[in-house]
């Protein structure tokens, strides 16, 4: 029995657990495998980026910028946060035409943004391709180490008294009318029943989709995806020092601390039903690598060190998450469908989700993410 039961030990579940436990509340977190075994773990680093983000998420990113700078002190643990600055590269005149409007809008929302000419860009990034004519620059963007941060976050939650259970898979839900009263689970291979005193927070990523369908008969407009990430072999001299995105290429580049270049941006792997894991596809790996070479020709002869597509993410049909109580379960807050960019805003959203379950008042900044926008 716990007052607040959290399903899923990724960054969202752990952040909500930390905020609730800090208030002295009775919190239990159930994680099916191990902490950070889902989208909040794995190769390299995650982008902490406001540049190019959906308008509705920009106020959350503005809030998260401040939180990231002090998070390691707040949770007394490492996050690997580095403020590198993000450059959205522009090669085509038609993309340059819309750039001033994007720069204006992002500045309005508290995301410091500048439009750089080709010459200004080359002062920051001398090795960028000659085809790049301009860039949208956000100096406050950066990266953090997702696996490390999630571990630090769960440690902080535990320090404040949250009960964290790994190898604890939630399998069922009990309710009394519209109220969830208990969860069924398998903990260390044994059947278990957890009574819910007050609220459930469902942050189990792809699992949430089938769970909601089964117990609330609601089909969320989201789908599972296996984003591909890869690291090239270490280079003596790194060709870039910023976090890189691109206006028309499917591309994200991160310079890692171990002198490897990490490449991603939206290429996908596929599910292997025999191994029960996601795997990369050779044409996707090569396609992603070629996009990186087009932006940074110095990457041409650098072999791929490792590539993965083993962490599933739920993508929402309109590209922003669903953070809401759903019909039929008025004490279960769902956070799902982060659409490949949930990491950066997690300090802000996790804090606001915790406030919502404690006060039962919906925070204004979370209103754009309600389920009702689809119905
Ligand atoms: C490859 C990749 C690259 C990304 N890059 C970026 C980036 O650069 N910038 C950015 O902002 N975002 C990025 N994201 C998105 C971001 O990482 C995710 O949105 C975020 O980590 C989601 O956190 P979560 O806690 O919701 O989910 P998860 O970390 O997936 O956690 C959910 C947890 O629930 C557990 N679980 C599942 N079923 C059950 C069950 N039945 N019972 C109990 N527990 C269960 C899982 O084991 C898992 O640990 C990326 C995502 C991926 C996959």
């Amino acid at each position: 029995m716990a007052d607040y039961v959290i399903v899923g030990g990724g960054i969202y579940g752990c952040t909500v657990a930390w905020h609730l436990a800090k208030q002295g509340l009775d919190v239990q977190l159930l994680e099916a495998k191990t902490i950070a075994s889902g989208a909040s773990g794995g190769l390299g680093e995650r982008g902490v980026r406001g540049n190019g983000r959906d308008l509705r998420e920009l106020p959350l990113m503005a809030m998260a910028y401040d939180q990231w700078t002090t998070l390691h002190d707040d949770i007394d643990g490492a996050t690997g946060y580095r403020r590198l600055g993000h450059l959205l590269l522009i090669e085509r005149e038609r993309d340059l035409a819309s750039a001033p409007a994007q720069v204006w809008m992002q500045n309005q929302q508290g995301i410091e943004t500048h439009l750089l000419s080709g010459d200004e860009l080359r002062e920051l990034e001398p090795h960028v391709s000659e085809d790049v004519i301009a860039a949208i620059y956000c100096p406050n963007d950066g990266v953090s180490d997702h696996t490390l941060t999630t571990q630090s976050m769960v440690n902080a939650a535990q320090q404040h008294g949250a009960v964290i259970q790994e190898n604890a898979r939630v399998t069922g839900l009990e309710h009394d009318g519209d109220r969830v009263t208990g969860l069924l689970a398998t903990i260390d291979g044994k059947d278990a029943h957890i009574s819910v005193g007050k609220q459930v927070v469902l942050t189990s990523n792809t699992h949430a989709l089938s769970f909601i369908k089964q117990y609330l008969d609601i089909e969320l407009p989201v789908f599972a995806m296996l984003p591909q990430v890869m690291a090239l072999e270490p280079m003596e001299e790194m060709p870039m020092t910023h976090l890189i995105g691109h206006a028309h290429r499917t591309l994200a580049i991160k310079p890692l601390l171990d002198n490897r270049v990490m490449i991603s941006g939206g290429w996908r792997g596929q599910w292997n039903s025999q191994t029960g894991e996601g795997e990369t596809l050779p044409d996707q790996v090569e396609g992603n690598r070629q996009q990186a070479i087009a932006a940074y020709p110095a990457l041409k002869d650098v072999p791929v060190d490792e590539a993965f597509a083993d962490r599933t993410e739920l993508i929402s049909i309109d590209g922003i998450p669903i953070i809401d109580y759903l019909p039929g379960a008025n004490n279960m807050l769902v956070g799902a469908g982060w659409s490949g960019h949930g990491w950066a805003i997690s300090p802000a959203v996790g804090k606001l989700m915790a406030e919502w379950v404690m006060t039962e008042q919906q925070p204004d900044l979370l209103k754009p993410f309600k389920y009702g926008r689809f119905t």
Side-chain angles (χ1 to χ4, degrees):
M1 157 91 180
D3 283 343
Y4 297 89
V5 183
I6 299 173
V7 186
I11 192 59
Y12 277 96
C14 296
T15 304
V16 174
W18 172 57
H19 281 287
L20 296 177
K22 255 198 318 181
Q23 301 303 316
L25 299 172
D26 176 25
V27 180
Q28 185 172 4
L29 183 149
L30 305 168
E31 160 55 47
K33 295 179 181 167
T34 53
I35 298 298
S37 57
S40 305
L43 176 71
E45 297 175 327
R46 293 272 186 265
V48 176
R49 166 186 63 81
N51 209 2
R53 191 170 278 276
D54 188 286
L55 170 64
R56 293 160 290 183
E57 290 186 353
L58 291 180
L60 295 168
M61 192 60 229
M63 179 177 166
Y65 272 153
D66 291 340
Q67 293 171 299
W68 277 111
T69 57
T70 60
L71 193 61
H72 58 286
D73 281 338
D74 299 337
I75 60 178
D76 195 19
T79 62
Y81 176 61
R82 299 185 289 144
R83 203 165 254 196
L84 302 177
H86 181 272
L87 289 158
L88 189 80
L89 307 181
I90 297 173
E91 284 181 43
R92 306 186 304 199
E93 288 294 336
R94 62 181 183 275
D95 294 322
L96 187 54
S98 61
Q102 182 179 335
V103 171
W104 180 86
M105 189 264 286
Q106 290 182 183
N107 278 308
Q108 292 300 306
Q109 298 293 327
I111 309 296
E112 184 185 338
T113 310
H114 308 273
L115 183 55
L116 304 185
S117 66
D119 287 346
E120 288 168 326
L121 166 65
R122 282 178 182 78
E123 279 177 28
L124 297 178
E125 286 287 328
H127 300 293
V128 75
S129 156
E130 285 175 8
D131 295 338
V132 179
I133 56 173
I136 300 177
Y137 177 45
C138 286
N140 294 329
D141 284 352
V143 293
S144 62
D145 183 326
H146 48 303
T147 316
L148 191 61
T149 306
T150 308
Q151 283 297 345
S152 299
M153 186 64 80
V154 84
N155 292 344
Q158 244 168 339
Q159 290 289 324
H160 286 283
V163 174
I164 308 295
Q165 282 179 291
E166 294 185 319
N167 203 13
R169 180 178 298 278
V170 170
T171 53
L173 178 148
E174 290 175 343
H175 55 97
D176 180 6
D178 284 350
R179 215 171 159 73
V180 179
T181 52
L183 293 175
L184 307 179
T186 313
I187 302 181
D188 291 328
K190 292 189 189 130
D191 290 343
H193 176 269
I194 293 105
S195 300
V196 175
K198 290 185 174 154
Q199 299 253 347
V200 175
V201 179
L202 188 64
T203 47
S204 49
N205 205 337
T206 39
H207 161 259
L209 183 58
S210 51
F211 195 68
I212 288 165
K213 172 74 185 141
Q214 185 175 355
Y215 289 99
L216 303 182
D217 199 20
I218 292 175
E219 218 155 309
L220 296 180
V222 296
F223 57 95
M225 182 185 135
L226 286 159
Q228 168 187 290
V229 288
M230 69 173 104
L232 303 184
E233 285 188 3
M235 298 178 74
E236 268 181 29
E237 206 182 318
M238 292 294 270
M240 76 288 299
T241 54
H242 294 77
L243 181 62
I244 304 295
H246 203 285
H248 79 269
R249 297 186 185 278
T250 305
L251 180 64
I253 302 180
K254 298 177 184 80
L256 299 180
L257 284 169
D258 59 8
N259 269 21
R260 294 191 301 169
V261 173
M262 180 173 167
I263 306 174
S264 58
W267 297 75
R268 301 177 189 195
Q270 73 175 5
W271 188 252
N272 181 330
S273 50
Q274 283 180 340
T275 61
E277 287 181 12
E279 63 185 14
T280 55
L281 294 161
D283 67 313
Q284 294 284 299
V285 173
E286 186 53 19
N288 202 175
R289 199 176 77 87
Q290 289 303 331
Q291 294 291 297
I293 292 168
Y296 282 87
L299 299 177
K300 186 166 173 287
D301 297 318
V302 189
V304 174
D305 192 10
E306 43 184 357
F308 299 98
D310 57 348
R311 309 271 167 167
T312 328
E313 173 85 334
L314 267 192
I315 311 292
S316 164
I317 202 69
D318 64 350
I320 60 166
I322 298 159
I323 310 167
D324 208 349
Y325 290 91
L326 302 181
N330 61 20
N331 63 332
M332 183 168 77
L333 179 60
V334 176
W338 308 106
S339 306
H341 39 80
W343 178 258
I345 56 174
S346 61
V349 176
K351 181 172 193 285
L352 295 169
M353 286 176 71
E355 279 171 19
W356 194 351
V357 297
M358 280 188 287
T359 62
E360 300 190 15
Q361 298 284 320
Q362 184 181 27
D364 284 344
L365 285 182
L366 295 187
K367 286 184 177 161
F369 308 99
K370 59 188 179 199
Y371 166 67
R373 73 182 188 268
F374 299 112
T375 57

